[in-house]
C-alpha cells in the first residue's frame, strides 16, 4: 500500500510517498532554512508564504522522481498540527483538495506521533511493544509509551522550552546562527564539556515532564558574567563559545536521558526510541547508547538525519499504520482542519 504524506507544520514543505509504512519511495523536502537564517528564527508569515510557493512544485517532484501516478496512491496522510497555524493551512488545504478530487481516504496525523514513525523508515516492521519513546523537536518534548500502533500514552511533556528550542535560543545567545542544534553540535566538538556546571530542573521522581528555560537563563547569566549585560554575541571569544556549547549539550543530554532511564525503570519497555530534530545530535545518541545499555533492549534513532527533522515520510508512515488498523474510519472523505494545539 502506498501512502502520500504531506507536511507543512513549520518551515519545511514536504511531500513523500512511502510503501507499507517503511519503504521510502521518495522524500522531497523544500527547506526554508536559508530564508530564516536572516532573522535567526522562523517568522510564521514568511514560512506560510513560502509553503504556498513550494507545495505544488514539491508534489510534482515527488511524482516525477518515482514515475508513479495518482492511481498508484492508496491513501493520503497529512499533519494538521501541532505547528504554526498559517503554515498548517497550506498542507491541510492541499490534502483536502487532493483527497476530494482524487477520491482517496485522508488520514490526519499528529505531527509528534509522525516523528515517532521516523524510526520505522527504511527499517523492517519488526518491533516489539511496548516501546518507550523520547521525542525531542523544536516545539515539543514528550516521553511516550507506545503499546501498539495508534495506542500512545503521554508520560511526560514540555513545561516551557522544548529541547530544540533551547538549542536554538542558546545558539542565538552565542552568535552561532539558525538552526541552533547543528551549530552547537559543531562548536561543542572543540569545547570542554566540563567547563560549566549548568543546573538541571528537578521535577520529582515520578514526574516525566521537561523544563529547559532555567538552563537557557543559566547560559545567559554565564555569558553576562564575562561580557556584561549588553554583550554582543559577535564579540564572544571562540573558545568561550565552544566551552559553553559543549557544557550545554552535555547538560541537556544528561537531563533528557535521566528522564528516559527513570521511565524505563517504571515501564519495562521492549525497545527504546529517540525521535525528532534533536535526535540527530551525535553527542545525545552516544550518551544514550552508553547509559541505556543496562536495559538490554534495542535503542533506535532514525536511520537518516532527514528522518529526524521535519519530513513527510514520517507522516506517510504514521498514516499507513493508523489506516491499516481501522480503515473504515477514513473511508468517507472528510475535511481536516489545521489545529496548532492538536493533542494526542
Ligand atoms: O523535529 P524538528 O525538525 O521540528 C519540530 O517539530 O520542531 O526539530 C527541529 C529542531 C530545531 O530546534 C533544531 O535546532 C534541532 O531540531 N536540531 C538539532 C540537531 N539538528 C536539528 N538539535 C541538536 N543537534 C542537532 N544535530
Ligand atoms: Zn517536527
Amino acid at each position: 500500500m502506498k501512502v502520500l504524506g504531506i507536511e507543512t507544520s513549520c518551515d519545511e514543505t514536504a511531500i513523500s510517498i512511502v510503501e507499507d509504512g517503511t519503504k521510502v519511495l521518495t522524500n522531497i523536502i523544500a527547506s526554508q532554512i536559508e530564508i530564516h537564517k536572516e532573522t535567526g528564527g522562523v517568522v510564521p508569515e514568511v514560512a506560510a508564504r513560502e509553503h504556498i510557493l513550494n507545495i505544488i512544485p514539491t508534489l510534482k517532484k515527488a511524482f516525477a522522481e518515482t514515475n508513479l501516478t495518482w492511481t498508484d496512491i492508496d491513501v493520503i496522510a497529512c499533519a494538521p498540527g501541532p505547528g504554526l497555524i498559517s503554515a498548517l493551512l497550506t498542507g491541510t488545504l492541499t490534502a483536502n483538495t487532493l483527497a476530494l478530487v482524487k477520491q482517496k481516504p485522508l488520514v490526519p496525523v499528529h505531527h509528534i506521533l509522525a516523528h515517532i514513525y521516523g524510526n520505522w523508515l527504511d527499517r523492517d516492521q519488526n518491533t516489539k511493544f511496548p516501546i518507550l519513546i523520547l521525542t525531542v523537536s523544536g516545539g515539543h518534548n514528550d516521553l511516550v509509551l507506545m503499546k501498539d500502533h495508534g495506542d500512545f500514552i503521554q508520560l511526560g511533556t514540555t513545561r516551557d522550552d522544548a529541547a530544540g528550542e533551547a538549542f536554538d535560543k542558546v545558539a542565538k545567545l552565542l552568535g552561532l546562527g539558525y538552526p541552533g542544534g547543528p551549530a552547537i553540535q559543531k562548536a561543542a566538538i572543540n569545547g570542554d564539556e566540563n567547563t560549566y556546571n549548568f543546573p538541571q530542573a528537578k521535577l520529582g521522581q515520578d514526574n516525566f515532564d521537561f523544563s529547559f528555560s532555567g538552563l537557557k537563563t543559566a547560559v545567559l547569566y554565564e555569558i553576562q558574567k564575562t561580557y556584561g549585560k549588553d554583550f554582543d554575541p559577535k564579540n564572544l571569544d571562540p573558545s568561550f563559545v565552544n566551552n559553553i556549547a559543549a557544557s550545554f549539550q552535555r547538560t541537556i543530554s544528561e537531563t533528557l536521558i535521566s528522564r528516559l532511564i527513570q521511565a524505563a525503570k517504571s515501564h519495562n519497555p521492549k525497545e527504546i526510541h529517540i525521535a525528532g530534530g534533536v535526535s540527530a545530535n551525535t553527542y545525545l545518541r552516544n550518551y544514550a547508547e552508553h547509559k541505556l545499555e543496562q536495559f538490554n533492549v534495542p535503542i533506535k534513532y532514525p536511520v537518516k538525519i532527514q528522518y529526524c527533522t521535519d519530513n513527510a515520510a514520517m507522516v506517510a508512515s504514521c498514516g499507513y499504520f493508523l489506516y491499516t488498523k481501522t480503515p473504515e474510519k477514513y473511508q468517507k472523505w472528510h475535511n481536516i482542519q489545521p489545529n496548532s494545539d492538536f493533542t494526542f
Side-chain angles (χ1 to χ4, degrees):
M1 175 183 288
K2 295 186 185 68
V3 180
L4 181 127
I6 302 177
E7 159 61 39
T8 64
S9 308
C10 187
D11 58 342
E12 266 95 19
T13 316
I15 304 271
S16 178
I17 302 170
V18 175
E19 188 164 13
D20 297 337
T22 58
K23 192 172 172 206
V24 180
L25 303 179
T26 180
N27 188 32
I28 310 291
I29 303 168
S31 169
Q32 304 174 11
I33 281 182
E34 288 308 315
I35 294 165
H36 298 302
K37 264 184 185 165
E38 285 172 30
T39 42
V42 179
V43 177
E45 177 64 22
V46 175
R49 286 169 188 236
E50 285 299 309
H51 284 308
I52 293 168
L53 295 175
N54 291 336
I55 192 81
I56 300 299
T58 308
L59 182 66
K60 281 187 174 166
K61 262 192 206 164
F63 278 108
E65 199 177 73
T66 51
N67 284 325
L68 294 172
T69 66
W70 274 105
T71 48
D72 300 306
I73 304 297
D74 301 289
V75 171
I76 297 173
C78 173
L84 304 171
I85 195 77
S86 53
L88 293 164
L89 259 169
T90 302
T92 49
L93 186 62
T94 307
N96 286 335
T97 309
L98 291 172
L100 177 64
V101 172
K102 304 295 180 188
Q103 287 294 297
K104 307 285 178 188
L106 175 55
V107 185
V109 164
H110 189 284
H111 178 82
I112 297 302
L113 298 187
H115 269 299
I116 287 176
Y117 282 89
N119 273 315
W120 269 260
L121 303 175
D122 291 347
R123 279 202 171 104
D124 57 35
Q125 283 199 21
N126 264 335
T127 34
K128 288 203 178 94
F129 296 104
I131 307 171
L132 180 64
I133 304 153
L134 172 70
T135 61
V136 265
S137 68
H140 296 82
N141 224 164
D142 289 289
L143 207 45
V144 177
L145 189 68
M146 181 178 182
K147 293 188 161 176
D148 195 356
H149 292 294
D151 186 354
F152 304 94
I153 299 170
Q154 189 184 46
L155 302 175
T157 190
T158 325
R159 286 220 184 155
D160 39 52
D161 293 351
E165 200 174 349
F167 268 97
D168 292 338
K169 286 180 175 169
V170 167
K172 204 167 184 176
L173 291 175
L174 295 174
L176 291 172
Y178 174 84
I184 288 200
Q185 176 171 311
K186 198 166 160 220
I189 293 168
N190 299 313
D192 176 356
E193 66 183 53
N194 294 314
T195 316
Y196 302 102
N197 251 328
F198 294 126
Q200 299 192 37
K202 301 252 182 314
L203 301 174
Q205 193 52 37
D206 297 320
N207 191 304
F208 301 121
D209 284 349
F210 300 89
S211 164
F212 291 115
S213 70
L215 173 58
K216 176 200 65 193
T217 308
V219 170
L220 173 69
Y221 288 164
E222 197 57 55
I223 302 172
Q224 288 178 338
K225 230 197 272 175
T226 313
Y227 290 91
K229 270 199 159 39
D230 300 319
F231 72 92
D232 181 347
K234 285 201 280 299
N235 296 336
L236 306 181
D237 178 62
S239 68
F240 175 82
V241 168
N242 295 343
N243 289 338
I244 295 253
S247 305
F248 164 80
Q249 186 176 248
R250 171 183 58 76
T251 308
I252 206 161
S253 302
E254 283 175 3
T255 310
L256 290 169
I257 302 307
S258 71
R259 210 72 91 245
L260 200 45
I261 291 174
Q262 205 181 322
K265 283 182 178 161
S266 310
H267 294 280
N268 294 318
K270 297 234 167 55
E271 294 190 7
I272 299 176
H273 295 187
I274 306 183
V278 182
S279 70
N281 188 276
T282 311
Y283 183 97
L284 176 70
R285 287 183 175 206
N286 292 339
Y287 185 78
E289 270 319 322
H290 170 61
K291 288 286 178 181
L292 298 171
E293 221 173 23
Q294 56 180 305
F295 295 102
N296 208 16
V297 297
I299 316 288
K300 292 182 182 170
Y301 329 93
V303 297
K304 289 184 184 168
I305 297 301
Q306 59 175 300
Y307 300 158
C308 296
T309 46
D310 287 349
N311 65 86
M314 64 186 196
V315 173
S317 172
C318 186
Y320 166 84
F321 285 105
L322 294 183
Y323 180 81
T324 46
K325 204 170 175 189
T326 47
E328 64 284 357
K329 215 169 136 182
Y330 307 101
Q331 284 311 331
K332 203 166 161 285
W333 183 82
H334 61 280
N335 232 350
I336 60 171
Q337 301 292 335
N339 180 358
S340 52
D341 299 322
F342 196 12
T343 51
F344 65 91

